[in-house]
Structures are given as C-alpha cells and as structure tokens.
C-alpha cells in the first residue's frame, strides 16, 4: 500500500534486517502489501502457502485473520500469524494473536522529553530513540501452551 505510515516502513526495514542478521534469504516474495479485507488478495497470498505472516500492526493482523478464516484456512494450522502493538483486543480475536507489545507509556515519556529538549535546545540534532518491546506469545503463532503460560507470567 503506497500510503503506509513511516512506522510501517521502519518495521519492514527491521524485518529485512532481522532476516539478514539470521542469514535467511531475503526475497521480494517475503514482503506483501495488501488490503487484508480484500479476499481475492488474501486468497492469492494464501495460494503461495506461507508458513507465517508478520503484520505491521495488530489492526492489520486482526483483519487478515478474519479474511483467512473466512476463506476456510485455519490459524495457526495453515498459517501462523503475528502482529505488532498488543492492542487490547489482540487476546480476544477468534485465535488469540501473538504480538510485540509496545511500551506506550515509555514512548510517550520519551517523546515528551525529546520535545522539551528541542524547545530548550533547538539546534539539537535529530536522533532515534529505541525502546524495548516484549513478545506476547498466544495461539496464533502455533507455540505450545507452555510458551503461552511463560509469556503471560512475565
């Protein structure tokens, strides 16, 4: 999708960097941009028999999950699915969604501190602020029930 947010672009770049770091093949067939509610696009994607799909956010993953299920596929049996954000409804989807939890409170605090720094020192160079995320393991990735419990206990 040509109007993707900058965070989607950054997440895609991070995905490619992770593939590179693990010496995994990086091909154009590993990244798809599509409307997750467009059943024909999803049907085409599923015809390629992906093992897993990592979505740029939970909203996309939730809509994609519904399309996948409506097409008669099973999550995680036919395809594993992961999102990013850990939105409140991620655990309430037909198949609870594995996701990366964003430290939203810390993001807000860091943004506020950066803004104050910029106000007091306007010549401060632009910088990236990186914060730690947390993997929340649920059924959509096909992990064992023990992994789900371990994820919830942290």
């Amino acid at each position: 999708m040509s109007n993707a947010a900058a965070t989607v672009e950054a997440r895609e770049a991070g995905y490619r960097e992770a593939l590179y770091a693990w010496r995994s093949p990086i091909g154009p067939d590993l990244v798809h941009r599509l409307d997750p509610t467009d059943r024909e696009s999803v049907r085409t994607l599923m015809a390629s028999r992906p093992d897993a799909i990592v979505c740029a956010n939970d909203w996309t993953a939730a809509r994609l999950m519904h399309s996948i299920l409506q097409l008669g596929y099973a999550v995680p049996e036919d395809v594993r699915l992961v999102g990013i954000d850990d939105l409140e409804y991620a655990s309430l989807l037909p198949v609870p969604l594995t996701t990366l939890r964003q430290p939203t409170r810390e993001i807000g605090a860091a943004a506020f501190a950066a803004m104050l720094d910029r106000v007091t020192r306007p010549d401060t160079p632009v910088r990236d602020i990186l914060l730690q995320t947390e993997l929340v393991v649920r059924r959509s990735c096909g992990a064992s029930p023990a992994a789900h419990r371990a994820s919830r206990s942290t």
Side-chain angles (χ1 to χ4, degrees):
M1 314 208 82
S2 60
N3 60 348
T7 55
V8 171
E9 300 287 339
R11 290 172 184 185
E12 182 180 318
Y15 170 73
R16 291 179 188 277
E17 287 176 25
L19 289 174
Y20 180 79
W22 284 94
R23 294 181 171 78
S24 295
I26 303 173
D29 60 324
L30 292 179
V31 175
H32 298 271
R33 293 200 179 184
L34 55 83
D35 176 352
T37 63
D38 178 355
R39 285 204 199 137
E40 285 311 306
S41 294
V42 175
R43 187 183 323 274
T44 300
L45 174 64
M46 293 303 293
S48 68
R49 301 181 58 114
D51 292 326
I53 300 171
V54 178
C55 296
N57 53 57
D58 288 352
W59 176 243
T60 300
R63 295 184 303 161
L64 181 61
M65 180 186 291
H66 282 288
S67 293
I68 288 170
L69 296 173
Q70 289 169 351
L71 289 170
Y73 293 98
V75 175
E77 293 81 1
D78 295 319
V79 64
R80 294 167 190 90
L81 194 58
V82 176
I84 300 174
D85 291 327
D86 195 24
L87 297 177
E88 289 182 16
Y89 57 78
S91 65
L92 304 174
L93 290 168
V95 180
L97 183 65
T98 296
T99 185
L100 279 175
R101 179 176 293 145
Q102 297 284 0
T104 53
R105 189 175 305 268
E106 291 86 353
I107 289 170
F112 187 70
M115 180 188 67
L116 289 177
D117 191 38
R118 174 69 62 188
V119 168
T120 59
R121 299 183 319 196
D123 295 336
T124 302
V126 175
R127 67 185 189 274
D128 288 331
I129 301 171
L130 303 177
L131 301 171
Q132 191 66 41
T133 59
E134 177 188 351
L135 177 63
V136 180
V137 178
R138 297 190 182 108
R139 283 192 331 125
S140 71
C141 72
S144 69
H148 299 218
R149 286 190 297 279
S151 176
R152 283 184 290 202
S153 67
T154 58

